[in-house]
Amino acid sequence: MKLKESLAMIVIGLVIGSLLTLAVLNLQQAPLNPPKNFPQDTYGDQPSCEITTSIPEKIQPSIPRIEEFKAEYSRKRWMGYDVFKAHEYYVRALDAYKHGERDEAVKLFEKAIEAVKEADLLPSLPKREWEITDSNIMVDDVPTPHDFVPLGTIYVRSENGYVAYPSNEPRWKLSCFIYVAYGESEDGDVFVYHGRLPFTGEGPHRPRIWLNDEWIYPFPTFYSPMYYDEEKVMVYNYDASHSYIQTLTYDPEKRLWIHEIKPIERDGPRLKIIGRAMGKTFWMGRWDGPFIIHGVTFNKKDIDIWGGFWDIGEMTAELILNGRRYVFKGSFLFDRASHLTYYYDSAKEGGAGAPLEFSCFYLCQDEFCLAVAHTDNPSPFNPPTSLQHQARLNLFMENRSYPLTEFKFWDDGGIQPKTFHLVGRFDGGEIRIVGEPINYWPNRWKVSRETWWNPEAYRTWGRATIHWTGNITINGKTIEVDAYGIGEFTRYNERLTD
């Protein structure tokens, strides 16, 4: 009985001291001593910080305390051990205790202790370097299942059924499995979806939906690790209680990206999006390289490089919510990218956070889809090659795809811009468009201070759903642009502006 009471005391201390850390589990890429004012961004979707706890003093010496558990977790994680099952048990223990299931919480925490204690090294892969280039816009391959989940190239499989980074490569910072969509119903409801499947060891994500002019959160938070069913070409995560599952399945023959969120054994809200990729894929880089530069990191003199792809096209979404069935038609973007630090040997020591200052977005209407990745360099550092500046226009009426050979992108200069502009040329035509956001996430982008080159500077990260107008001319014909899409941005200003 004393053993159970002692373990319960541990869990009580854990919960009292660290319930807030349910949203702070980005142990894969977060530094142990994070920079001040770490931004909310796609690098975890939450501020990065250490887990803090207060632990009762009177516990049996043979039972590891929470500080010891998290220290051992971190130590082994950065040595390449497979500690992610332990982390999964840890999250489930917190959730069980929060719902009054004390005995279950104790059992799960015991499993977490045992799993971190018994963890083996993850498999390794041959060491290599990734070359960088100024653009990969001319790559136009159709993604394969291996491009979706590059086992043996940048990922390895754990004996526990999930994928992870290899034990001997700590430079990886982030793997995006991001799914966003814009659509409208026949009744005129506007639907915007921001989803992400957390990669193993990276921060949790709670899917968000814009409906009836507000952000809603009908689904629980999902956590790593990322499980992979190679036969179905499907990745998936669970929520903390393992009562919900989210999946993403790829059908390479039909170029379908099928994303589902559903309860496992009970009724509840559910979502299914079927996205069909159209035109040429937008590549940041094949997994064997070279990669492009996403930007200069704000906290250390380093650059974020990335490879992977975006697939973009039409989608149909079905949402079941509060007994009502909604159907939306529109567009989607699936972002399957991986980032790593360039100058440092470990993401723990290298540049952290979203690099400055990038603009990544897409827009679609019936006649076309456009994808753009552009970064300006506000720092005094000169990288070895130009930062990303590439765009691709897929014109469906011509069944043609055009890299934009020349384009200029700018905004109104605000820390959270209210207008965006793009002017560009391609073979046989040009594009001139202006974008105005219809919503932001967060509604007000969080502004933080300090970069390694300017401690007084301001920086931010955010997303926007943007309505674009203007025109495209091609071989003497004009397409009037009235399109919607979603973008992700970081911004930097030496003085604070609206």
Side-chain angles (χ1 to χ4, degrees):
M1 187 66 182
K2 288 185 178 181
L3 176 64
K4 281 193 173 183
E5 289 175 351
S6 298
L7 281 167
M9 290 177 69
I10 292 175
V11 178
I12 291 170
L14 173 88
V15 174
I16 292 173
S18 49
L19 271 177
L20 292 178
T21 68
L22 279 169
V24 188
L25 300 170
N26 192 354
L27 298 177
Q28 175 69 39
Q29 90 266 2
L32 292 181
N33 296 302
K36 296 179 181 178
N37 300 320
F38 202 101
Q40 283 194 312
D41 56 31
T42 186
Y43 290 68
D45 275 332
Q46 74 283 317
S48 172
C49 62
E50 293 185 86
I51 296 174
T52 57
T53 58
S54 60
I55 307 300
E57 292 295 330
K58 295 181 180 180
I59 59 175
Q60 293 192 16
S62 61
I63 301 172
R65 294 183 298 175
I66 302 304
E67 292 95 333
E68 294 169 352
F69 170 79
K70 70 171 186 175
E72 186 70 354
Y73 176 96
S74 182
R75 184 183 72 86
K76 284 191 170 182
R77 176 262 173 274
W78 288 107
M79 291 175 64
Y81 282 85
D82 185 4
V83 293
F84 305 111
K85 196 67 179 179
H87 191 272
E88 185 178 48
Y89 287 134
Y90 170 80
V91 171
R92 292 179 65 187
L94 282 173
D95 184 75
Y97 192 88
K98 183 176 69 174
H99 289 91
E101 301 170 1
R102 179 174 297 185
D103 289 343
E104 181 66 13
V106 170
K107 292 177 182 177
L108 289 167
F109 189 64
E110 285 178 314
K111 288 184 176 181
I113 293 170
E114 186 67 18
V116 79
K117 178 181 177 182
E118 300 296 330
D120 294 322
L121 279 172
L122 284 160
S124 62
L125 292 174
K127 293 289 286 185
R128 57 165 297 174
E129 296 295 328
W130 275 263
E131 296 179 355
I132 53 176
T133 185
D134 58 354
S135 176
N136 277 317
I137 195 59
M138 302 309 293
V139 179
D140 61 5
D141 301 339
V142 173
T144 66
H146 178 76
D147 292 317
F148 178 36
V149 184
L151 278 173
T153 303
I154 67 170
Y155 299 155
V156 295
R157 184 189 293 277
S158 163
E159 63 180 14
N160 292 306
Y162 44 77
V163 289
Y165 298 123
S167 60
N168 61 332
E169 184 49 275
R171 291 180 295 170
W172 292 107
K173 296 165 50 173
L174 172 72
S175 278
C176 301
F177 288 76
I178 295 172
Y179 203 110
V180 297
Y182 172 90
E184 300 177 10
S185 71
E186 291 184 350
D187 297 329
D189 297 305
V190 174
F191 166 85
V192 178
Y193 174 72
H194 291 189
R196 180 170 66 87
L197 286 84
F199 188 71
T200 301
E202 295 177 357
H205 178 77
R206 189 173 188 184
R208 47 188 174 265
I209 293 173
W210 176 266
L211 186 64
N212 298 323
D213 296 326
E214 65 175 344
W215 290 108
I216 61 172
Y217 301 83
F219 303 109
T221 299
F222 290 91
Y223 294 85
S224 79
M226 174 177 283
Y227 291 91
Y228 180 44
D229 186 324
E230 196 166 1
E231 183 177 348
K232 295 181 180 178
V233 196
M234 180 181 76
V235 295
Y236 56 100
N237 304 121
Y238 297 103
D239 72 321
S241 66
H242 280 216
S243 60
Y244 258 84
I245 187 172
Q246 67 165 346
T247 65
L248 180 61
T249 306
Y250 180 39
D251 181 340
E253 293 184 2
K254 298 179 180 178
R255 294 189 68 195
L256 298 180
W257 296 97
I258 303 168
H259 177 42
E260 290 191 77
I261 303 176
K262 57 187 178 183
I264 295 174
E265 294 182 346
R266 59 181 175 82
D267 292 331
R270 58 182 64 221
L271 174 69
K272 183 175 184 178
I273 305 177
I274 301 177
R276 183 173 72 91
M278 302 167 67
K280 298 292 187 181
T281 299
F282 184 87
W283 286 88
M284 285 75 72
R286 299 301 306 267
W287 294 125
D288 56 356
F291 287 177
I292 58 176
I293 300 176
H294 193 35
V296 177
T297 52
F298 70 83
N299 68 317
K300 290 186 178 181
K301 190 183 292 186
D302 196 7
I303 55 177
D304 178 309
I305 67 172
W306 64 332
F309 61 90
W310 301 342
D311 250 351
I312 303 167
E314 63 184 15
M315 73 87 196
T316 299
E318 181 184 45
L319 173 67
I320 308 297
L321 182 63
N322 298 327
R324 180 177 173 182
R325 177 177 178 267
Y326 298 85
V327 176
F328 306 95
K329 294 186 181 297
S331 62
F332 85 103
L333 178 147
F334 173 54
D335 174 1
R336 174 64 281 269
S338 290
H339 303 246
L340 74 160
T341 189
Y342 186 69
Y343 289 106
Y344 288 81
D345 291 331
S346 169
K348 175 183 173 183
E349 304 297 336
L356 302 172
E357 59 177 71
F358 71 77
S359 301
C360 292
F361 61 94
Y362 87 98
L363 54 138
C364 287
Q365 66 185 50
D366 290 344
E367 297 90 343
F368 73 90
C369 284
L370 172 70
V372 179
H374 168 79
T375 297
D376 292 312
N377 181 6
S379 80
F381 178 61
N382 292 316
T385 189
S386 301
L387 305 186
Q388 63 183 5
H389 180 75
Q390 59 181 51
R392 179 175 284 278
L393 176 66
N394 287 315
L395 277 177
F396 306 129
M397 64 182 185
E398 294 191 352
N399 195 27
R400 293 285 302 274
S401 182
Y402 299 91
L404 268 65
T405 53
E406 301 175 26
F407 73 91
K408 181 180 179 181
F409 175 75
W410 73 99
D411 58 44
D412 57 21
I415 196 75
Q416 184 172 340
K418 297 180 177 64
T419 58
F420 300 91
H421 302 262
L422 185 141
V423 175
R425 293 183 178 181
F426 55 94
D427 185 17
E430 65 177 20
I431 179 171
R432 295 179 177 272
I433 54 176
V434 177
E436 296 183 357
I438 65 169
N439 66 36
Y440 297 96
W441 194 91
N443 292 322
R444 186 70 176 175
W445 295 355
K446 180 182 177 180
V447 178
S448 300
R449 297 290 295 273
E450 189 176 344
T451 63
W452 60 261
W453 65 90
N454 186 350
E456 302 301 319
Y458 298 87
R459 53 185 167 80
T460 191
W461 171 93
R463 290 183 180 172
T465 307
I466 302 173
H467 179 210
W468 295 89
T469 57
N471 58 71
I472 299 171
T473 58
I474 174 70
N475 297 325
K477 299 179 181 179
T478 299
I479 301 172
E480 296 298 329
V481 175
D482 185 8
Y484 291 86
I486 298 169
E488 183 172 301
F489 309 89
T490 54
R491 288 296 180 264
Y492 167 94
N493 271 325
E494 294 186 352
R495 59 185 182 84
L496 194 58
T497 58
D498 292 331

